[in-house]
Amino acid sequence: MYRIKIGCQLGYTTSTANPAVFVVQPPAHQRQMIEREALRLIGATPAGEFADTFGNRCQRIMLLPGESQLRYEALATVPPEGDAIASEARQVPPEELPSHLLRYTLPSRYAETDKLLGFAWETFAHVPRGWTRARAICDWIHDHVEYKRGVSLPQWSAADTIARRQGVCRDRAHAVIALCRAFNMPARYAVSYLPDIDVPDDGIPMDFHAYAEIWLEGGWQVFDPHDRFPRKGRVFLACGLDAADAAFATLYGGARLSSFEVWADPIPLYEPARAQARNDARDDARHDRARAAAPAAVAPPLLAVVGGAPLA
Amino acid sequence: MYRIKIGCQLGYTTSTANPAVFVVQPPAHQRQMIEREALRLIGATPAGEFADTFGNRCQRIMLLPGESQLRYEALATVPPEGDAIASEARQVPPEELPSHLLRYTLPSRYAETDKLLGFAWETFAHVPRGWTRARAICDWIHDHVEYKRGVSLPQWSAADTIARRQGVCRDRAHAVIALCRAFNMPARYAVSYLPDIDVPDDGIPMDFHAYAEIWLEGGWQVFDPHDRFPRKGRVFLACGLDAADAAFATLYGGARLSSFEVWADPIPLYEPARAQARNDARDDARHDRARAAAPAAVAPPLLAVVGGAPLA
Amino acid sequence: MYRIKIGCQLGYTTSTANPAVFVVQPPAHQRQMIEREALRLIGATPAGEFADTFGNRCQRIMLLPGESQLRYEALATVPPEGDAIASEARQVPPEELPSHLLRYTLPSRYAETDKLLGFAWETFAHVPRGWTRARAICDWIHDHVEYKRGVSLPQWSAADTIARRQGVCRDRAHAVIALCRAFNMPARYAVSYLPDIDVPDDGIPMDFHAYAEIWLEGGWQVFDPHDRFPRKGRVFLACGLDAADAAFATLYGGARLSSFEVWADPIPLYEPARAQARNDARDDARHDRARAAAPAAVAPPLLAVVGGAPLA
Amino acid sequence: MYRIKIGCQLGYTTSTANPAVFVVQPPAHQRQMIEREALRLIGATPAGEFADTFGNRCQRIMLLPGESQLRYEALATVPPEGDAIASEARQVPPEELPSHLLRYTLPSRYAETDKLLGFAWETFAHVPRGWTRARAICDWIHDHVEYKRGVSLPQWSAADTIARRQGVCRDRAHAVIALCRAFNMPARYAVSYLPDIDVPDDGIPMDFHAYAEIWLEGGWQVFDPHDRFPRKGRVFLACGLDAADAAFATLYGGARLSSFEVWADPIPLYEPARAQARNDARDDARHDRARAAAPAAVAPPLLAVVGGAPLA
């Protein structure tokens, strides 16, 4: 079992009041527990909470002119096991799929399966169906689409990513989703708080982490093209057909993201006092690093900017 | 008030059993009444009905090897007025929109607003917001995107249609939707049974008719780029973010559409016996024409073919 | 086909602001069409609309101190046939019932089946199951529970009504519901606007009319113990497990109903102008009669008064 | 944090196939985590899972003729704190309540508030509203309604319980719910797996434990009239308006409960191997005691027997 301090701090600058929707709070989930939630706003006013059709916890917030800030903190508990390896999990044929899953087999904005049918079948039809094929697709993306920050555009979809062979977690997740749907596997886009447990620090500032979930008999399974091994401590945050449904921030206007931090720090189960202190220190270090990195960063890939005047 | 015989007859040929979902039955709606429904299958077996998240009435059906046929008939009653002209209808700013409408302001598979922000603002920002701007967008599509059958591909999205300036009702609806969303107007794709009332017969075999609905204060409003005047007798069939959500047929496999007829024939309110006879005659004429036209027709644009092996 | 002017006018007196929920607007329904709705408030403010879990259209309204009034008007169109007689309709055994219907086989506040199992089985077990048994129950209530206004209390449930053999439409509907549930037939409480078509005027001021709906294979069927023949022109308004779910008014406080009118007047399909005039005259006559009758009337049986200080 | 082995084993005897619905699996919940679920059936067949309108996880199961058995096991993790004490929690007036909570202020089958308005106001109107009044009601039930097994009948409602001053957890919960609703506090019936943590063993075989939840600003709060102090380790199982909605078993027929065990055993966080062994031993002891106690037990109070022939 892991206890993980999760949270984020988002800063915005805007010259006019800017309505927004934020999805930063993990929902109820059989395999995670969320305690001591706190959502704080500075220079912004709450405008109602709602659950969308995917069950995401959406916060409507008005960013006021000037600087504003949203800070979320919570304590998550998740099982000790890493992402499941269910290598026997069967693909359920379309006629047997529960009805509410059918939509996940069809194209969506950033996972345009209908454009990728030929590629998908040519490349993966020979792989045994079910878990093995989903795994093969996920590994192929890991191997052939380079993780690279700052190259992809928010408009990139799976076909773009597969053509250019580069992208961030969002892009790679879309590619996995689009290819799995080509074989009628229900596939959805998911976002998580993902701590660094038993992995080397890669020096990259933490972000909301997007990955794919594929529905095989028994339920949704994690397929994350970022790693070739199961990750531990993943805290499920949101899901949808693709990033259009599950952006952490949807802005109706021209507010500019001025600062951005996400954290997911495991804490010891039994030494809360010492752990806290040590952890705070680590936090500070990380956050300093994050701030240092910020100027160079392009707009975080999971952010949706909608409507409003185009940014010149 | 109009009473309209609506229905469709769809024939398929398939070499292997082919799961499918059909949406041909209009839902309950404040302004339409559906009586004497009959859905008949030949060479196909029913596999359960469900309502999707948009309220569409979805029929799961297994098409059996060989020839199969689905025939739906019903009697619809709708108000005598044509599509509403609500020229005072106000656009509701994002912060005041009901939460369940927010998703309709974001990009979707075939209405990729995020690619069209620049064009939309350049072309329509000077038009007064609300009904007037939605109307201007709809008329612009009517005038600048030629209605032409057989040119567009199922993968075409709004950006393709606007670039090529040609398409069918589906394509033109997507274009209206994508452009309206650029101004944060909730926009959805809708499909109807649309009779020819007070319009000249254009000689085109009847089809499911797709159009756009824009949400302005007070509710969803019809914006149909096919006509520059309000149509009468429209029977709402289905809706969604775009055609991916509201196809009349979603096929999981290689079944081929071998015949296709849609009808929406107004009948007199008071002479049921004579009307029926006259009407049947008209039906026969129309259907003969439809059959004659069929060989030359490309795949009907509202049909979604998903998954399965690519068609070589 | 019938066109029916439906509506109601409710007056309240209250000394303090009194929150309330009103359900007076018919929902979308396959077999009815609702046009030209108008809901007007005097001395009261709207506080939001919502659909409850039964799909009822609920209006939150604040009644202000003094006199307040709610007036609803609409034009309904319904099929020409009366309530269906589906004498072959099969009862579906519990294991085959759609899951969302299971709750309707269990006891509820005013239809406490669990208290009436013995009576139900003793009296109706010999009748063939399905439509025939539901019909027998409905007719038994018609024959053995006298329609009488002013005797029943809002707290009366099915067991009370069956014991006392008197009640109004609400009470008789609850009795039918409770007894049908004893045989595992899904049963719900429904409320309608019910015009007098092809029935003699019984001189009773019109009210919202409650009746039972029993689910037999194919859907919900009307079982109205008020009449032994199918009624025409029924406009479905609301439903629920029993009257607790489907009251036309739920008051949180001590507001007193000071005036009460409900109407459902068929109008000719083809002479709108003359019909309107004639009809208005009839309305006036009816409403005068209603007003005359009001002083003597007990609290209308479909009104729920909840919480607040007990009256006296 | 507590890890708790939860589960139940239910045995039935029936002479004919007997459809049933079981609710024994806790749902997703912000403050609990459910792992390693296993549901096993002997002499019974699964017939579909569904979520009801309260979010309860319902299993449709067909009990076959002869002996049948359902066994459920899972590992729950819950926070270390006991039931919250939110003594500042404000009661939200009806006009400010979220719409989906309004139904919880109205009477239901076993919490017939409408019959208890006078008693409630006479007894509790002088207590400050909000948490304090809900607490006073809960404590009054604890003090004045004796916990006694084997006296109450399944048909007993809150009014019966308050009149007779005896009952089990189900009855006492209904009484709290009915009285709180009299003051317009949304109140629901909840069922839990409740371990004995920091409480003396009372020698009573464990059962599903029913209690009340009252909605005060911020969310649903536990009010359990069984104890005058917060309990630890509670695992939320199901909820509804009252026991009609949240029975662990709903039987359509005459199956007889022949054996019944429920467990909720805390296990150490860090010595899984030893803990398991020790725990299994404790289980065995408890279960032996449960079996010994079974013959004397009346039908467990949370079981709903519906429809079917009355039991002689």
Side-chain angles (χ1 to χ4, degrees):
Chain A
M1 201 150 22
Y2 291 106
R3 304 199 90 187
I4 303 166
K5 281 179 55 184
I6 58 170
C8 61
Q9 184 163 321
L10 313 175
Y12 289 91
T13 310
T14 175
S15 55
T16 57
N18 195 139
V21 180
F22 290 93
V23 180
V24 297
Q25 299 166 277
H29 194 288
Q30 289 286 114
R31 288 167 57 77
Q32 66 190 25
M33 189 163 79
I34 309 293
E35 300 169 77
R36 301 188 211 160
E37 280 199 331
L39 182 66
R40 259 161 295 182
L41 301 177
I42 300 175
T45 54
E49 184 169 359
F50 70 99
D52 66 18
T53 57
F54 301 99
N56 298 320
R57 296 173 63 197
C58 305
Q59 290 284 356
R60 302 181 71 161
I61 287 170
M62 180 64 84
L63 305 178
L64 302 177
E67 302 286 327
S68 59
Q69 199 175 81
L70 174 150
R71 184 181 174 89
Y72 172 68
E73 289 175 284
L75 190 57
T77 304
V78 295
E81 302 84 11
D83 301 328
I85 299 177
S87 45
E88 301 305 310
R90 183 176 81 100
Q91 177 177 345
V92 174
E95 63 271 27
E96 295 175 24
L97 284 174
S99 296
H100 70 278
L101 295 175
L102 292 172
R103 181 62 185 86
Y104 294 94
T105 62
L106 303 180
S108 63
R109 171 65 188 94
Y110 299 110
E112 353 80 302
T113 300
D114 49 340
K115 285 189 181 169
L116 289 164
L117 284 177
F119 172 78
W121 279 75
E122 192 177 301
T123 314
F124 301 105
H126 68 283
V127 181
R129 64 207 312 267
W131 175 277
T132 306
R133 189 181 280 158
R135 192 69 253 161
I137 288 171
C138 190
D139 289 345
W140 190 94
I141 297 297
H142 176 273
D143 293 346
H144 293 82
V145 176
E146 182 193 5
Y147 180 83
K148 189 156 187 180
R149 295 161 56 87
V151 295
S152 61
L153 298 173
Q155 291 89 334
W156 274 25
S157 60
D160 296 312
T161 299
I162 288 172
R164 296 172 195 244
R165 304 284 159 106
Q166 286 182 328
V168 291
C169 61
R170 163 193 162 120
D171 302 305
R172 306 213 293 182
H174 284 148
V176 172
I177 291 165
L179 295 175
C180 286
R181 286 182 188 162
F183 297 97
N184 293 329
M185 286 188 267
R188 71 180 185 187
Y189 180 85
V191 183
S192 59
Y193 288 96
L194 184 60
D196 287 333
I197 296 177
D198 298 348
V199 293
D201 185 342
D202 57 8
I204 302 171
M206 198 166 274
D207 196 347
F208 294 107
H209 182 70
Y211 61 99
E213 288 191 353
I214 311 298
W215 198 91
L216 296 168
E217 194 165 41
W220 290 105
Q221 302 287 349
V222 172
F223 285 87
D224 186 343
H226 192 73
D227 299 292
R228 295 207 59 153
F229 50 86
R231 288 292 290 262
K232 292 175 179 165
R234 190 185 300 270
V235 180
F236 175 90
L237 168 56
C239 68
L241 293 178
D242 62 30
D245 293 321
F248 74 83
T250 301
L251 302 176
Y252 291 90
R256 199 174 54 78
L257 186 67
S258 54
S259 67
F260 177 77
E261 278 175 69
V262 175
W263 57 91
D265 299 315
I267 57 173
L269 284 172
Y270 272 122
E271 298 170 295
R274 278 177 53 203
Q276 195 54 45
R278 194 172 58 233
N279 210 52
D280 287 351
R282 199 169 64 193
D283 276 4
D284 291 346
R286 178 192 300 281
H287 297 174
D288 288 348
R289 195 174 59 211
R291 275 185 214 101
V298 294
L302 303 185
L303 171 70
V305 178
V306 303
L311 306 172
Chain B
M1 201 151 23
Y2 291 106
R3 305 198 90 187
I4 303 167
K5 281 179 55 185
I6 58 170
C8 62
Q9 184 163 322
L10 314 175
Y12 289 91
T13 309
T14 175
S15 55
T16 57
N18 195 140
V21 180
F22 289 93
V23 180
V24 296
Q25 299 166 277
H29 193 287
Q30 288 288 113
R31 288 167 56 78
Q32 66 191 25
M33 187 164 80
I34 309 293
E35 300 169 75
R36 301 190 212 159
E37 281 199 329
L39 183 66
R40 259 162 292 180
L41 302 177
I42 300 176
T45 54
E49 183 169 359
F50 71 100
D52 66 17
T53 56
F54 301 99
N56 299 320
R57 296 173 64 198
C58 305
Q59 289 284 355
R60 301 180 73 161
I61 287 172
M62 179 65 83
L63 305 177
L64 303 177
E67 300 287 327
S68 57
Q69 200 175 81
L70 175 151
R71 184 180 174 92
Y72 173 67
E73 289 175 284
L75 190 56
T77 303
V78 296
E81 302 85 12
D83 301 328
I85 299 177
S87 45
E88 301 305 311
R90 183 176 81 102
Q91 178 177 345
V92 174
E95 64 271 27
E96 295 175 26
L97 284 175
S99 296
H100 70 278
L101 295 175
L102 292 171
R103 181 61 185 86
Y104 295 95
T105 63
L106 302 180
S108 62
R109 172 64 188 92
Y110 300 110
E112 353 79 303
T113 301
D114 48 341
K115 287 189 179 168
L116 290 163
L117 285 177
F119 172 77
W121 278 75
E122 192 178 300
T123 314
F124 301 105
H126 68 282
V127 181
R129 64 208 312 267
W131 175 276
T132 306
R133 190 181 280 160
R135 192 70 254 162
I137 288 171
C138 190
D139 290 344
W140 190 94
I141 296 297
H142 176 272
D143 293 345
H144 293 80
V145 176
E146 181 192 5
Y147 180 83
K148 189 154 186 181
R149 294 160 58 86
V151 295
S152 61
L153 299 173
Q155 290 89 334
W156 274 25
S157 61
D160 296 312
T161 299
I162 288 172
R164 295 172 196 245
R165 303 284 160 108
Q166 286 181 328
V168 289
C169 60
R170 163 193 161 120
D171 302 304
R172 306 211 293 182
H174 285 148
V176 173
I177 292 165
L179 295 175
C180 286
R181 287 181 187 162
F183 297 97
N184 293 330
M185 287 188 266
R188 71 180 182 186
Y189 179 84
V191 183
S192 59
Y193 287 96
L194 184 61
D196 287 333
I197 297 178
D198 298 348
V199 293
D201 184 343
D202 56 9
I204 302 171
M206 198 166 274
D207 196 347
F208 294 106
H209 182 68
Y211 61 101
E213 289 192 351
I214 310 299
W215 197 91
L216 296 168
E217 193 164 43
W220 291 104
Q221 302 287 348
V222 172
F223 285 88
D224 186 343
H226 191 73
D227 299 292
R228 295 207 61 152
F229 49 88
R231 287 293 289 261
K232 292 175 180 165
R234 189 185 300 270
V235 180
F236 175 90
L237 169 56
C239 66
L241 293 177
D242 61 30
D245 293 322
F248 74 82
T250 300
L251 302 176
Y252 291 91
R256 197 174 54 77
L257 186 68
S258 54
S259 67
F260 177 77
E261 277 174 69
V262 175
W263 56 91
D265 299 315
I267 58 173
L269 284 172
Y270 271 121
E271 297 169 294
R274 277 178 54 204
Q276 196 56 43
R278 193 172 60 233
N279 211 52
D280 287 350
R282 198 168 66 196
D283 274 6
D284 291 345
R286 178 192 299 281
H287 297 174
D288 288 347
R289 194 173 61 212
R291 276 186 213 102
V298 293
L302 303 186
L303 171 70
V305 178
V306 303
L311 306 173
Chain C
M1 201 150 24
Y2 291 106
R3 304 200 90 187
I4 303 167
K5 282 180 54 185
I6 58 170
C8 62
Q9 183 163 323
L10 313 175
Y12 289 91
T13 310
T14 175
S15 55
T16 58
N18 195 140
V21 180
F22 289 93
V23 179
V24 297
Q25 299 166 277
H29 193 287
Q30 288 288 112
R31 288 168 56 77
Q32 66 190 24
M33 187 163 81
I34 309 293
E35 300 170 76
R36 301 189 211 159
E37 280 199 331
L39 182 66
R40 259 161 292 181
L41 301 176
I42 300 175
T45 54
E49 183 169 359
F50 71 100
D52 66 17
T53 56
F54 301 99
N56 299 320
R57 297 174 63 198
C58 304
Q59 289 285 355
R60 301 181 72 161
I61 287 171
M62 179 65 85
L63 306 177
L64 303 177
E67 301 286 328
S68 58
Q69 198 174 82
L70 174 151
R71 184 180 174 91
Y72 172 67
E73 288 175 286
L75 189 57
T77 303
V78 295
E81 301 85 12
D83 301 329
I85 299 178
S87 45
E88 301 306 310
R90 185 176 79 101
Q91 177 177 344
V92 175
E95 63 271 27
E96 295 176 24
L97 284 174
S99 296
H100 70 278
L101 295 175
L102 292 172
R103 180 62 185 85
Y104 294 94
T105 62
L106 303 180
S108 63
R109 171 64 189 92
Y110 300 111
E112 353 81 301
T113 300
D114 48 341
K115 285 188 182 170
L116 289 164
L117 284 178
F119 172 77
W121 278 75
E122 192 177 301
T123 314
F124 301 105
H126 68 283
V127 181
R129 64 208 312 267
W131 175 276
T132 306
R133 189 181 279 158
R135 192 69 255 162
I137 289 171
C138 191
D139 289 344
W140 191 95
I141 297 298
H142 176 272
D143 293 345
H144 292 81
V145 176
E146 183 193 4
Y147 180 82
K148 190 157 186 180
R149 294 161 58 85
V151 295
S152 61
L153 299 173
Q155 291 89 335
W156 274 25
S157 61
D160 296 313
T161 299
I162 288 172
R164 296 173 195 244
R165 303 285 159 105
Q166 287 182 327
V168 291
C169 61
R170 163 194 162 119
D171 303 305
R172 305 212 295 181
H174 285 147
V176 172
I177 292 165
L179 295 175
C180 286
R181 286 181 187 163
F183 296 97
N184 293 329
M185 286 188 267
R188 71 180 184 187
Y189 180 85
V191 182
S192 59
Y193 287 96
L194 183 61
D196 287 333
I197 297 178
D198 298 347
V199 292
D201 185 341
D202 57 7
I204 302 170
M206 198 167 273
D207 196 347
F208 294 107
H209 182 70
Y211 61 100
E213 288 191 353
I214 311 299
W215 198 91
L216 296 168
E217 193 165 41
W220 290 104
Q221 302 287 347
V222 172
F223 286 87
D224 186 343
H226 192 72
D227 299 292
R228 296 206 61 154
F229 50 85
R231 288 292 292 261
K232 293 174 178 165
R234 190 185 300 269
V235 180
F236 175 90
L237 168 56
C239 67
L241 293 178
D242 61 30
D245 293 322
F248 74 82
T250 301
L251 302 176
Y252 291 90
R256 198 174 55 76
L257 185 68
S258 53
S259 67
F260 178 76
E261 277 175 69
V262 175
W263 56 90
D265 298 315
I267 58 173
L269 285 172
Y270 271 122
E271 297 170 296
R274 277 177 53 202
Q276 195 56 41
R278 193 171 61 232
N279 211 52
D280 287 351
R282 199 169 63 193
D283 275 5
D284 291 345
R286 179 193 300 280
H287 297 174
D288 288 348
R289 195 173 59 211
R291 275 184 214 102
V298 294
L302 303 186
L303 171 70
V305 177
V306 304
L311 308 173
Chain D
M1 201 150 23
Y2 292 107
R3 304 199 90 186
I4 303 166
K5 280 180 54 185
I6 57 169
C8 62
Q9 184 164 322
L10 313 175
Y12 289 92
T13 310
T14 176
S15 54
T16 58
N18 195 139
V21 180
F22 290 93
V23 180
V24 297
Q25 299 166 277
H29 193 287
Q30 288 288 112
R31 288 168 56 78
Q32 66 190 26
M33 187 163 80
I34 309 292
E35 300 170 76
R36 301 189 211 159
E37 280 199 330
L39 182 66
R40 258 162 293 180
L41 302 177
I42 300 176
T45 54
E49 184 169 359
F50 70 100
D52 66 17
T53 56
F54 301 99
N56 299 320
R57 296 173 63 197
C58 305
Q59 290 284 355
R60 302 180 72 161
I61 287 172
M62 179 65 84
L63 305 178
L64 303 178
E67 302 286 327
S68 58
Q69 200 174 81
L70 175 151
R71 185 181 173 89
Y72 172 67
E73 288 175 285
L75 191 56
T77 304
V78 296
E81 301 85 11
D83 302 328
I85 298 177
S87 45
E88 301 305 311
R90 183 176 80 102
Q91 177 177 344
V92 174
E95 64 271 25
E96 295 176 24
L97 283 174
S99 296
H100 70 278
L101 295 176
L102 291 172
R103 181 62 185 86
Y104 295 93
T105 62
L106 303 180
S108 61
R109 171 65 189 91
Y110 300 110
E112 353 80 302
T113 300
D114 49 340
K115 287 189 180 170
L116 290 163
L117 285 177
F119 172 78
W121 278 75
E122 191 178 300
T123 314
F124 301 105
H126 68 283
V127 181
R129 64 207 313 267
W131 175 276
T132 306
R133 188 181 281 159
R135 192 70 252 161
I137 288 171
C138 190
D139 289 345
W140 191 94
I141 296 297
H142 176 272
D143 294 346
H144 292 81
V145 176
E146 182 193 5
Y147 180 83
K148 190 157 185 180
R149 294 160 57 85
V151 296
S152 62
L153 299 172
Q155 291 89 335
W156 274 25
S157 61
D160 296 313
T161 300
I162 288 172
R164 296 174 194 241
R165 302 287 159 105
Q166 286 181 327
V168 290
C169 60
R170 163 192 162 121
D171 302 305
R172 306 212 294 182
H174 284 148
V176 172
I177 291 164
L179 294 174
C180 286
R181 287 181 188 163
F183 297 97
N184 293 329
M185 287 188 266
R188 72 180 183 187
Y189 179 85
V191 182
S192 59
Y193 287 96
L194 184 61
D196 287 332
I197 297 177
D198 299 348
V199 292
D201 184 343
D202 56 10
I204 301 172
M206 197 166 273
D207 196 347
F208 294 106
H209 182 68
Y211 60 101
E213 289 191 352
I214 311 299
W215 198 91
L216 297 167
E217 194 165 41
W220 291 104
Q221 302 287 348
V222 172
F223 285 87
D224 186 344
H226 192 74
D227 299 292
R228 296 207 58 154
F229 50 86
R231 288 293 290 263
K232 292 176 180 165
R234 189 185 301 269
V235 180
F236 175 90
L237 168 56
C239 67
L241 293 177
D242 62 30
D245 293 323
F248 73 83
T250 301
L251 302 177
Y252 291 91
R256 197 173 55 78
L257 187 68
S258 53
S259 67
F260 177 76
E261 277 175 70
V262 175
W263 56 90
D265 299 315
I267 58 174
L269 285 171
Y270 270 123
E271 296 169 296
R274 276 178 53 204
Q276 196 55 45
R278 192 172 61 233
N279 211 51
D280 287 350
R282 198 169 64 194
D283 276 5
D284 291 345
R286 177 191 300 280
H287 297 174
D288 288 347
R289 195 173 59 212
R291 275 186 213 101
V298 293
L302 303 186
L303 171 69
V305 178
V306 303
L311 307 172

